[in-house]
Amino acid sequence: MFILQVTLEKVLGITAFGNRALACDPRSGLVAYPAGCVVVLLNPKKNKQHHILNSSSGHMPAVRVWDVAERTQVAELQEHKYGISCVAFSPNSKYIVSVGYQHDMIINVWAWKKNIVVAANKVSSKVTAVSFSDDSNYFVTAGNRHVKFWYLDHTKSSKVNATVPLLGRSGLLGELRNNFFSDVACGKGRKAGSTFCITSSGLLCEFNDKRLLDKWVELRTSQATSLSVTDELIFCGCADGTVRAFSPVNLHFICTLPRPHCLGTDIATGCQPGQYHLFSHKMDARCPDTVAVSYDPASRWLSCVYNDHSLYVWDVRDLRKVGKVYSALYHSACVWSVEVYPDRVSDGRQPCLPPGSFLSCSSDNTVRLWNIDGHNTTLSRNVISNDLQKIIYMDNNTAGLLDTECLNSGNGEKADPQTSETRTGIRTMCVSPDGQHLASGDRTGTLRIHDLESMGEILNVQAHDSEILCLEYSKPETGLKLLATASRDRLIHVLDAEREYSLLQTLDEHSSSITAVRFAGKVRMISCGADKSIYFRTAQKSDEGTVFTRTHHIVRKTTLYDMDIDPTRKYAVIGCQDRSIRIFNISNGKQKKLYKGSQGEDGTVIKVQTDPSGLYVATSCSDKNISIFDFYSGECVATMFGHSEVVTGMKFTNDCKHMITVSGDSCIFVWRLAPELTISMRQRLSDLKQNGKPVQKTPPHKPCNLSDKEVEEEGIEEEDEEERVSPYMVSGCSAGEDTGWYLTNIQYQSK
């Protein structure tokens, strides 16, 4: 089996929870931060990204060292049992210090080129930050009621191969001993003997060379999170988008930097960027809180991450006239769905959105419009993002735009993925085939319709008693304009989009949550759900209008999680709990094929998606991996990994060049498909267009060993309905099998 190359081209997201997950390289100007299980290396000036993907398997936490230029792993250091809260290079590049989660309680000092621990000790407090001294002789850890100085004995470390005890001395905190110290940075230059800390309550503190808390100043903020120290400046990240600069010599206040955008800003209105006052802020407007700051002394740029998952790079060469070098704004919570805007809208109407546009919806209660093609858009360019064109806010509650885990995950541990489950937010969406309307459904059962030309809301109705799990518009060739809504409340509503979305019919056959509903040719409707049932229905004309009547009812032994219809409208492709893909003939309801839908041996197939030509089907598994299979043979042709949570949505782009995936990790990944895949898909699309009907030809891939009663393309339906998953051999290692590795720490090696 030959696996084709799929390349991660663009990441629209950031999951940096603090300074331990943001770093600047003074030699290249690159800014590094995590997005799920990927490290993004951003060139802010050129708006170019490179990516480091963890391809290692296994569940042991590891400190990984990467060659930035080659983007290859050069060391893997495994000693921690539960997870790693922070890491740091020593300035002389000989050592790496790693601090485990509080369950682990271990601090390790690595001679990383030899892959050995030269010194170690236990720590009794929750540690959130670590910083090496300028001379590499000691480092300092900070956390809950904790500032501790750890000393390296270089003579022992270099000569003895065994691990020696790490000598630690507590900082003398005095009256501040009950504070939470959220960040620490050792002084530089003439202040190399000092150590600076900030408390979450808003104090900037200085320890002298005797470990004594010598002096402190108030930051005048409700919360302080992050610190960046040079020999000339101290930058403190605070609440409400505030960053304050101080002198390390005497802790005198110098200035406050510009704040980022206000929460709830309509970025599509655009604004003329000034040099200092980039945005005009209303008196009662709130900005996102600063969660990470990192200073690049070479370019004199300051990178800031905020808790609405936005990133700004400020030019601070002149603190009286601060300018913006780069900014980006991403979803702050689980992204549930992605929709590609149709390339050819029906009814001969003008498209509302430019080519290459796609939309995403999230638990942060927004729908966001993206365009990464660089086309001249119908929406005005904005000063906040090069990729994000518009944010549709579903309500005025700006608190939902903030990732509270950014500030609450002071222990350095991975946030609970269930947190996003409890939030309100947009759960699913669908664009009408004519490109005019966007339907979205939220977790409370509210259905909204937006006009994509004006971006205004034209309908808001409580359609269901619980969350809407699927929305689907009927196909243009049916001559009808219907919208089906399916929910956890076990009901399907069929609405007439031509008559202001009036209710045509409610279907209540399912006995559990409905996971997918799809329309097919000749006005057929197929639905599946957690009750393990598939219902096939056909539209009938009646005095009341169009109604759907059941024609087939299939029950399987496994939960059915997602469904897609192939472009010929002949087949329904269903992803199942037992990691299988089941393909059904829509006209007679019989199962046609059955093959493995995941490369791994664990998990569940969560999502399935066919490409525009119908040659391939993509699946996402609960093990966080993505696979692309030959639709007819079941052979795996490509695999992808990099999300740190379950992939909740996938779409192939109209030009067959890319696939877009979205995830519970709040990130959107844009993958470039192998040229072989693109060429095959485009050829099939051309054949379909010329013939005006499905191509009766087996694609040029070796078929896998399916059951005896199944043949290549058309196959023979299983007469006995017996279910069998036919195994096939996979050569080599399944790359990225463990994407449970979650990157929380980044630091550049000093030179």
Side-chain angles (χ1 to χ4, degrees):
M1 181 182 61
F2 183 67
I3 300 292
L4 298 171
Q5 183 71 37
V6 177
T7 309
L8 182 57
E9 190 170 277
K10 186 86 173 180
V11 172
L12 302 170
I14 185 169
T15 51
F17 288 139
N19 258 17
R20 59 194 175 276
L22 180 68
C24 296
D25 179 7
R27 292 176 303 140
S28 64
L30 292 178
V31 179
Y33 56 85
C37 290
V38 172
V39 182
V40 179
L41 302 172
L42 170 72
N43 184 325
K45 199 169 186 178
K46 296 182 179 178
N47 185 28
K48 291 283 176 68
Q49 290 183 356
H50 295 291
H51 309 101
I52 293 174
L53 283 79
N54 171 52
S55 60
S56 302
S57 58
H59 293 277
M60 277 289 287
V63 177
R64 306 187 193 278
V65 183
W66 305 84
D67 184 303
V68 175
E70 299 293 327
R71 298 194 289 283
T72 54
Q73 182 175 298
V74 295
E76 181 181 60
L77 315 173
Q78 290 186 323
E79 277 292 329
H80 294 282
K81 291 181 180 177
Y82 298 100
I84 299 159
S85 65
C86 42
V87 295
F89 276 108
S90 63
N92 63 12
S93 300
K94 285 185 178 180
Y95 305 113
I96 290 174
V97 60
S98 60
V99 184
Y101 282 177
Q102 64 180 117
H103 313 291
D104 191 291
M105 296 292 192
I106 295 291
I107 295 180
N108 288 324
V109 179
W110 302 84
W112 64 272
K113 291 177 182 176
K114 298 177 184 177
N115 198 355
I116 57 172
V117 178
V118 294
N121 209 329
K122 291 212 166 192
V123 62
S124 57
S125 300
K126 188 183 294 184
V127 174
T128 59
V130 61
S131 178
F132 250 104
S133 66
D134 229 12
D135 58 9
S136 301
N137 286 333
Y138 66 93
F139 60 89
V140 186
T141 54
N144 187 27
R145 294 187 291 184
H146 168 94
V147 176
K148 199 160 188 176
F149 294 71
W150 305 87
Y151 297 92
L152 294 175
D153 188 333
H154 291 286
T155 55
K156 287 185 179 179
S157 299
S158 57
K159 292 177 182 176
V160 181
N161 284 329
T163 303
V164 300
L166 185 61
L167 178 64
R169 293 283 184 266
S170 293
L172 306 174
L173 305 177
E175 60 187 271
L176 298 186
R177 60 185 174 275
N178 290 324
N179 274 268
F180 186 100
F181 293 88
S182 48
D183 206 0
V184 61
C186 291
K188 299 181 184 298
R190 56 178 168 160
K191 296 297 289 185
S194 295
T195 300
F196 300 95
C197 287
I198 53 169
T199 68
S200 60
S201 60
L203 299 176
L204 169 61
C205 311
E206 180 183 349
F207 291 82
N208 63 19
D209 55 2
K210 302 288 192 295
R211 308 190 319 277
L212 177 67
L213 181 50
D214 202 16
K215 58 175 84 81
W216 65 86
V217 294
E218 290 190 4
L219 295 172
R220 297 186 180 179
T221 181
S222 59
Q223 188 165 22
T225 58
S226 45
L227 192 63
S228 187
V229 174
T230 72
D231 52 358
E232 298 177 353
L233 294 164
I234 299 175
F235 293 102
C236 301
C238 305
D240 200 24
T242 302
V243 177
R244 302 203 197 281
F246 292 83
S247 166
V249 177
N250 48 23
L251 296 192
H252 283 183
F253 172 73
I254 298 175
C255 72
T256 299
L257 268 62
R259 293 194 296 168
H261 58 279
C262 299
L263 294 172
T265 296
D266 182 4
I267 67 166
T269 56
C271 54
Q272 297 302 315
Q275 189 67 12
Y276 184 90
H277 295 290
L278 186 65
F279 307 110
S280 55
H281 293 94
K282 298 175 183 175
M283 288 297 293
D284 58 344
R286 182 183 175 188
C287 291
D289 301 322
T290 316
V291 295
V293 292
S294 185
Y295 182 67
D296 175 359
S299 60
R300 299 175 77 178
W301 292 348
L302 183 73
S303 299
C304 300
V305 176
Y306 304 90
N307 70 338
D308 65 343
H309 290 216
S310 59
L311 168 68
Y312 280 70
V313 180
W314 301 100
D315 183 341
V316 292
R317 285 176 293 181
D318 184 349
L319 288 172
R320 295 166 301 178
K321 202 167 60 176
V322 175
K324 181 175 75 69
V325 180
Y326 174 90
S327 61
L329 179 54
Y330 303 120
H331 280 296
S332 61
C334 172
V335 186
W336 281 110
S337 181
V338 59
E339 285 289 314
V340 173
Y341 190 74
D343 57 344
R344 295 183 185 86
V345 297
S346 58
D347 294 352
R349 298 193 188 190
Q350 280 290 106
C352 300
L353 304 180
S357 296
F358 63 93
L359 302 101
S360 58
C361 67
S362 166
S363 289
D364 64 18
N365 222 23
T366 67
V367 170
R368 305 196 183 204
L369 164 63
W370 308 87
N371 191 296
I372 59 170
D373 281 4
H375 287 278
N376 291 322
T377 66
T378 52
L379 299 170
S380 60
R381 285 287 179 187
N382 62 83
V383 297
I384 295 179
S385 173
N386 291 295
D387 307 302
L388 180 60
Q389 303 297 309
K390 173 74 177 178
I391 304 176
I392 301 174
Y393 300 96
M394 296 302 165
D395 58 29
N396 296 320
N397 179 20
T398 57
L401 300 170
L402 299 177
D403 182 356
T404 54
E405 296 302 316
C406 282
L407 298 178
N408 295 337
S409 64
N411 55 5
E413 298 182 30
K414 185 176 171 182
D416 181 2
Q418 296 302 315
T419 305
S420 62
E421 297 282 340
T422 60
R423 301 173 64 158
T424 58
I426 308 303
R427 182 63 173 75
T428 185
M429 63 179 178
C430 190
V431 177
S432 62
D434 62 10
Q436 301 298 307
H437 288 176
L438 170 73
S440 63
D442 71 12
R443 297 181 67 86
T444 64
T446 302
L447 170 69
R448 295 178 178 86
I449 308 294
H450 281 81
D451 184 293
L452 285 176
E453 189 169 7
S454 66
M455 295 291 169
E457 184 180 272
I458 57 177
L459 181 72
N460 182 319
V461 62
Q462 186 71 32
H464 293 273
D465 291 335
S466 57
E467 77 180 309
I468 299 174
L469 297 177
C470 186
L471 295 167
E472 172 83 345
Y473 279 99
S474 58
K475 312 304 177 190
E477 63 265 25
T478 62
L480 297 173
K481 293 184 179 179
L482 306 177
L483 174 67
T485 72
S487 167
R488 200 176 292 281
D489 67 6
R490 309 187 300 277
L491 298 178
I492 298 174
H493 297 313
V494 183
L495 311 176
D496 190 338
E498 286 193 298
R499 298 184 179 178
E500 298 180 336
Y501 292 89
S502 58
L503 180 65
L504 285 178
Q505 188 179 11
T506 296
L507 302 161
D508 61 357
E509 292 105 326
H510 284 281
S511 59
S512 188
S513 299
I514 301 162
T515 53
V517 59
R518 298 284 181 258
F519 286 107
K522 299 182 180 176
V523 203
R524 287 194 171 99
M525 183 201 291
I526 307 102
S527 62
C528 64
D531 58 4
K532 305 174 184 176
S533 290
I534 312 163
Y535 288 93
F536 295 81
R537 306 176 186 85
T538 305
Q540 308 284 342
K541 288 284 186 182
S542 71
D543 296 338
E544 288 79 28
T546 303
V547 294
F548 285 88
T549 57
R550 187 170 75 195
T551 52
H552 304 289
H553 175 208
I554 312 293
V555 180
R556 284 294 174 259
K557 299 173 185 175
T558 183
T559 300
L560 311 166
Y561 277 113
D562 194 28
M563 172 173 49
D564 199 16
I565 306 298
D566 88 308
T568 69
R569 316 277 193 250
K570 277 186 161 189
Y571 306 116
V573 186
I574 299 182
C576 308
Q577 188 177 26
D578 62 3
R579 298 189 306 283
S580 297
I581 296 172
R582 288 170 170 79
I583 299 175
F584 290 85
N585 186 312
I586 292 172
S587 61
N588 59 24
K590 289 189 175 181
Q591 182 171 305
K592 187 176 189 59
K593 289 204 176 177
L594 171 73
Y595 49 78
K596 190 176 177 182
S598 166
Q599 289 287 80
E601 295 304 319
D602 297 310
T604 294
V605 173
I606 300 293
K607 289 289 176 180
V608 294
Q609 186 68 42
T610 59
D611 79 273
S613 73
L615 276 186
Y616 304 104
V617 56
T619 67
S620 76
C621 186
S622 57
D623 66 5
K624 310 178 186 85
N625 290 319
I626 305 153
S627 303
I628 300 177
F629 295 91
D630 184 294
F631 180 85
Y632 296 99
S633 71
E635 179 184 17
C636 183
V637 296
T639 59
M640 297 99 90
F641 56 88
H643 285 290
S644 62
E645 299 294 344
V646 169
V647 174
T648 50
M650 305 176 295
K651 276 290 189 297
F652 289 89
T653 55
N654 299 317
D655 61 8
C656 301
K657 287 183 178 180
H658 296 91
M659 191 167 85
I660 303 166
T661 60
V662 300
S663 164
D665 59 19
S666 80
C667 297
I668 301 169
F669 287 1
V670 181
W671 307 86
R672 178 171 283 277
L673 300 172
E676 296 93 327
L677 295 174
T678 299
I679 291 167
S680 298
M681 286 187 272
R682 286 181 167 181
Q683 182 61 50
R684 179 85 191 292
L685 279 171
S686 176
D687 293 344
L688 286 171
K689 190 176 179 181
Q690 286 177 7
N691 297 343
K693 59 182 180 179
V695 179
Q696 304 300 322
K697 187 174 108 177
T698 304
H701 294 292
K702 282 186 179 179
C704 64
N705 295 322
L706 296 172
S707 60
D708 294 336
K709 293 185 179 178
E710 296 170 328
V711 295
E712 282 182 32
E713 197 207 340
E714 285 299 321
I716 301 171
E717 283 76 16
E718 293 181 5
E719 298 295 330
D720 57 2
E721 296 295 335
E722 181 183 347
E723 297 194 40
R724 285 173 287 175
V725 179
S726 304
Y728 57 92
M729 295 300 295
V730 180
S731 62
C733 175
S734 175
E737 189 171 307
D738 171 32
T739 51
W741 172 78
Y742 192 80
L743 189 139
T744 58
N745 309 281
I746 307 173
Q747 193 179 44
Y748 280 106
Q749 174 184 340
S750 305
K751 286 288 183 186

